[in-house]
Amino acid sequence: MGKHATHIVWDWNGTLFHDIDAVIGATNSAFAEIGLEPITLETYRELYCVPVPRFYERLMGRLPTDAEWLVMDEAFHRHYSTHRLGCELAEGVDLLLEGWQSAGRSQSILSMYGHDDLIPIVRGFGIESRFVRVDGRTGPSGGTKSAHMVRHLAAMEHVEPERTVVIGDAVDDAVAAQDAGARAVLYTGGSHSRGSLETAGVPVVDTLAEAVELAGVLVV
């Protein structure tokens, strides 16, 4: 791995891991427990944001109380753990990861999914060796990615933020990249609509192959 080669930081949920159907299923199962009406994929993609309590504010017309948020968060993760079992990697991921690594360039994962839950899933898909580092969230859920991104990049030797491209499915990925001094490409296959993603002011693509192609030329 050359010191000046482009590095990719991949998001996991909604990006490498095609789990949007599981997310919608878990969201609606959790909503049913607290008396909220189910939502469609289109509504989710238009309204979703982080910190996640703000997403619930858009649905409820007010911020949930701390007690309500704890109930919502626990219910979502409980249902997600079941719904995600039928999910697979996004189309073409194996070849994209292999190709980037074979070209002598590095890549890592930074996810806001809990670290102890993330690692066995990545290992289960047989792709852990493609990455120089895999980090999931530590600490409470529902927050933003920026501080995690700064720590993630700082933990990797020979990875320079200014030569890093973050590939994710959420506006928060672009914000985290900017806050860490990196670039970003956003992918429409996950949590946000194209219109929502375009507000971030970074390239937006419909396939991960396009994202990798852009990553190869954004940093020169």
Side-chain angles (χ1 to χ4, degrees), residues 124-163:
F125 282 113
I127 58 173
E128 187 180 21
S129 64
R130 301 295 182 197
F131 307 102
V132 295
R133 188 175 182 90
V134 177
D135 284 332
R137 170 187 48 78
T138 56
S141 64
T144 62
K145 190 177 268 189
S146 289
H148 297 271
M149 184 68 70
V150 171
R151 288 195 296 269
H152 180 73
L153 294 178
M156 292 182 288
E157 189 177 4
H158 302 314
V159 170
E160 301 166 306
E162 63 272 18
R163 301 197 65 82

Side-chain angles (χ1 to χ4, degrees), residues 47-63:
L47 297 181
Y48 181 74
C49 63
V50 296
V52 178
R54 294 288 181 185
F55 169 54
Y56 287 114
E57 180 183 27
R58 293 180 174 186
L59 294 168
M60 300 168 63
R62 61 174 178 82
L63 274 173

